Amino acid sequence: MRAEQPLPHHRLPPDSLAELALGEGGPGTVDLLLGSERSRRLLLLRMLDETTDLGPAWDLLSEAQRRSPAAVDDVLLYPQTGMWLATALRRLRGTTAHQDEAPLWVVLGHISALAAASALRAELDFTIDVPVRHGRVPLPTLGCAELPVTAPWTTATVRAEAGHAVVEAAGATVVVPPAPGAPGPGWHPLRRLVVGPADHRLEVALDDVDPYRTYSQPTEPRPLPTATSAQWRRVLERAWEVLLREQPGTAEAMRRGVLSISPTPARERFRPRSATSGDAFGGIEASEPDDPVQFAATLVHEFQHTKLGGLLHLAPLLAGETDDSGELFYAPWRDDPRPLAGMLQGVYAFMGITGFWRAHRLTAGERAAVAHFEFALWRAQTARALDQVRGHPRSTALGAALLATLRERCAPWLKEPVPDEQAAPARLCAADHAARWRCHHLRPPAQAVAETLRAWLAGEDGPPASLAAPPEVVPDPSARWLDSLAMLVRHRLGSTDDGRSWAEAPEKAAARVTGALPADVLLTDALLTGGDAMAASRAYPAHLAMEPQRPSTWAGLGRALALTKTAPAAARLLCRYPERARAVHEALLHATGTPPDPIALATWLGRDA
């Protein structure tokens, strides 16, 4: 390797920084980020070589680079190579947050697989031993050989001579086809998806075989059935059409900066999972999408993380190496409290999501209602998050400028008209998510709860003033599916039926959305169609009687009471400070063994709220 040569000093020019600060970044800016990523990986590779002897693998890599630098760069810049480098160095230092089941020698031995792949691409003759993982031998950027090996961890030999390459182990031989992407007996090629017109073509790897394709924990190769990979190609093709039509600038940048997609199984409708890693620039892990529009939004979302990750490798946006201050924030897109670094990632990603739905709602046709709702919801949630972190003292000058620019860009979006049929549910869902989050993660002072308990039992007119003291953030690991109301709204807005079945069979409708209660269904019906809000206000106390430890129920009760206007003090308290009702209710249940009436308690607590 030519790591002994001085690497260039990377610096983004002002125009590229201005693009990234807006949440944008064209092909030229992405190329600069890729260039810096190449230097970073060479440095990490040198660090690994200095920490442990890479032996024949280093020599073969060096020979491949002399023969074909472009071939080695393709392997070096592959997202999964960056993930492996970071994983290997963390394993050596004992700082990895996730335990890879593979022994350390298998992790470090992956350099031999990288060398073999580079040498094959450079058309070298060579012989090298590589790790076998549960009978499979992944060769990054090329594919994976499958051998009849029973031991979970062992080695195989890769040989290449005169253009003929094989993988050998346990008396078996797998031929590596000379044509990229060609299958063969025992050989699973790395599939490449090519979509779009010739002058705007996107080419990405559909990676189901590299162990470092999943972020942030490695997983073993799991080749997709042919029909499933064909479905991925179809949905990517249609998603790419959406992006070329509605976000052409972003699409052009993606052509340079989206290098691989790691597929995972489909999830519940409207709840896709996707991930990126700052260590794997250009890689996106994504569950099989519901439809092309959802996938287009996912690509925008994760490409935002990719760009920000590349920027963070060049310039810090926050002071300090780690986010260890203990300060936690409300992230409207998460169930859990987030540190400042996580908030920065989130606002950058959801600026992209908001921009996507802002454009798509104008061309969505029969799905315009869902698109309007998504835009209205995420512009409000992103603005709320930006308001929390603006001017934070840990921001560097660049970080402060980026957050200020994003906030300035988001501000006019808040004024754009959205039909009230979608704007109103978006406002309620945003408020409901925040209230559910408060129920789970905010705790009033223990002394104030004790004083309130005594005041209730003594028959006093209202709670003590101490209950209004600022609550403490105490992460609740049981918090799950706080977006259930928004999910129900999406189901309703995207449905072709009249919704009568929801009110008639709320239990059945709730079963569509994990975490949703029948009362949530009734509340959604009341919100969207003018249904019976009183039914929802009766259902939530019934849920509390059965599951008094389910905090989110308090937030739903507050929304239902606000719609019925029958208990204004209770509605006000539960919409603003539901954590007070939860804490006092739990204290009373513990002290007396009998739960108080939820609406009566909330009314008493809300007299001065």
Side-chain angles (χ1 to χ4, degrees):
M1 296 290 288
R2 300 176 185 172
E4 69 277 2
Q5 297 182 354
L7 295 174
H9 180 73
H10 296 277
R11 178 177 297 171
L12 289 175
D15 57 342
S16 292
L17 284 173
E19 287 178 0
L20 292 170
L22 280 169
E24 303 292 345
T29 296
V30 174
D31 281 340
L32 291 172
L33 295 176
L34 274 168
S36 71
E37 189 63 27
R38 178 184 181 275
S39 294
R40 179 176 181 271
R41 292 191 187 174
L42 285 171
L43 287 171
L44 292 177
L45 197 56
R46 171 56 73 184
M47 291 170 61
L48 189 62
D49 183 49
E50 291 174 349
T51 304
T52 181
D53 181 13
L54 299 181
W58 184 267
D59 296 336
L60 185 57
L61 269 175
S62 298
E63 186 180 355
Q65 190 184 50
R66 286 190 292 271
R67 169 72 69 85
S68 178
V72 176
D73 274 358
D74 283 346
V75 175
L76 181 69
L77 283 172
Y78 193 57
Q80 281 58 281
T81 300
M83 197 73 231
W84 165 74
L85 276 166
T87 300
L89 286 167
R90 290 179 185 127
R91 283 288 298 270
L92 283 170
R93 296 169 180 170
T95 59
T96 182
H98 300 282
Q99 183 59 48
D100 180 4
E101 67 165 341
L104 180 59
W105 72 264
V106 172
V107 175
L108 297 178
H110 190 70
I111 183 67
S112 297
L114 290 167
S118 299
L120 286 170
R121 295 173 67 108
E123 300 180 347
L124 293 174
D125 293 345
F126 67 93
T127 299
I128 193 170
D129 290 337
V130 298
V132 180
R133 308 174 64 108
H134 296 283
R136 293 190 172 101
V137 180
L139 297 180
T141 76
L142 298 177
C144 176
E146 191 162 4
L147 294 160
V149 174
T150 57
W153 318 108
T154 184
T155 60
T157 301
V158 182
R159 306 181 192 276
E161 184 177 0
H164 178 73
V166 296
V167 183
E168 301 171 329
T173 299
V174 172
V175 175
V176 180
W187 177 255
H188 302 283
L190 177 69
R191 296 180 176 93
R192 294 198 171 271
L193 307 181
V194 181
V195 298
D199 54 343
H200 298 292
R201 184 165 291 159
L202 175 69
E203 181 176 350
V204 299
L206 185 68
D207 197 337
D208 52 358
V209 294
D210 195 298
Y212 298 96
R213 72 194 181 278
T214 48
Y215 316 130
S216 57
Q217 189 168 359
T219 54
E220 296 310 309
R222 294 189 180 94
L224 292 176
T226 300
T228 304
S229 65
Q231 171 61 17
W232 273 96
R233 191 200 66 77
R234 287 190 293 270
V235 75
L236 177 63
E237 187 169 47
R238 293 176 60 192
W240 190 240
E241 291 172 359
V242 171
L243 292 172
L244 285 177
R245 181 176 65 248
E246 299 174 8
Q247 306 226 305
T250 297
E252 284 302 305
M254 282 184 183
R255 294 178 64 204
R256 296 291 301 138
V258 175
L259 307 178
S260 75
I261 296 170
S262 302
T264 60
R267 288 164 56 95
E268 185 176 303
R269 189 183 178 202
F270 295 119
R271 277 183 172 147
R273 181 192 177 275
S274 61
T276 55
S277 169
D279 295 318
F281 187 97
I284 296 174
E285 180 187 354
S287 59
E288 186 175 338
D290 297 340
D291 56 62
V293 171
Q294 182 192 83
F295 194 35
T298 294
L299 292 173
V300 169
H301 178 172
E302 298 304 341
F303 189 50
Q304 290 291 99
H305 285 304
T306 295
K307 291 183 294 183
L308 187 62
L311 175 60
L312 288 169
H313 286 162
L314 290 172
L317 302 181
L318 300 175
E321 289 293 323
T322 60
D323 206 350
D324 58 1
S325 65
E327 187 177 17
L328 296 172
F329 298 85
Y330 166 57
W333 45 83
R334 297 276 299 214
D335 290 335
D336 56 335
R338 298 295 288 159
L340 184 59
M343 292 294 290
L344 184 63
Q345 285 282 351
V347 296
Y348 200 80
F350 278 89
M351 278 295 295
I353 287 288
T354 306
F356 172 83
W357 289 112
R358 176 175 178 261
H360 183 67
R361 69 197 184 110
L362 304 179
T363 62
E366 62 183 15
R367 296 193 59 184
V370 174
H372 282 304
F373 170 78
E374 298 288 4
F375 171 62
L377 176 66
W378 292 119
R379 69 178 178 179
Q381 300 290 53
T382 305
R384 179 170 188 159
L386 282 165
D387 284 343
Q388 289 184 79
V389 299
R390 64 168 177 158
H392 195 281
R394 279 194 59 208
S395 299
T396 63
L398 179 59
L402 181 142
L403 288 170
T405 302
L406 293 178
R407 191 166 181 270
E408 289 171 6
R409 189 181 187 197
C410 187
W413 292 355
L414 298 172
K415 301 176 183 177
E416 293 188 11
V418 174
D420 195 57
E421 292 85 352
Q422 292 87 50
R427 286 192 297 270
L428 185 141
C429 287
D432 180 77
H433 187 277
R436 293 180 187 229
W437 187 93
R438 293 184 67 100
C439 268
H440 277 278
H441 302 297
L442 296 189
R443 295 289 182 272
Q447 182 61 33
V449 174
E451 293 172 358
T452 305
L453 173 66
R454 290 193 292 270
W456 171 271
L457 294 175
E460 296 184 11
D461 292 338
S466 59
L467 192 62
E472 179 185 4
V473 178
V474 180
D476 178 359
S478 74
R480 295 287 187 278
W481 309 300
L482 305 188
D483 60 351
S484 296
L485 197 65
M487 291 297 154
L488 289 168
V489 169
R490 291 181 176 107
H491 276 271
R492 281 297 294 271
L493 292 177
S495 175
T496 56
D497 62 37
D498 59 10
R500 282 182 294 182
S501 62
W502 284 49
E504 296 169 357
E507 294 81 4
K508 182 178 179 180
R512 303 181 188 181
V513 175
T514 303
L517 294 169
D520 295 328
V521 173
L522 295 171
L523 178 60
T524 304
D525 183 64
L527 174 67
L528 295 180
T529 66
D532 187 3
M534 289 298 297
S537 69
R538 291 190 297 267
Y540 281 113
H543 286 313
L544 273 171
M546 292 185 293
E547 293 185 84
Q549 302 301 320
R550 189 161 184 162
S552 294
T553 311
W554 290 102
L557 176 58
R559 300 296 148 195
L561 292 175
L563 286 178
T564 64
K565 301 180 181 179
T566 55
R572 185 168 58 249
L573 183 282
L574 294 177
C575 289
R576 295 178 182 176
Y577 312 111
E579 69 278 6
R580 299 180 189 175
R582 176 198 176 181
V584 176
H585 186 271
E586 288 181 354
L588 283 166
L589 181 59
H590 179 74
T592 67
T594 303
D597 177 81
I599 297 177
L601 176 63
T603 298
W604 182 78
L605 291 171
R607 289 182 179 177
D608 298 320

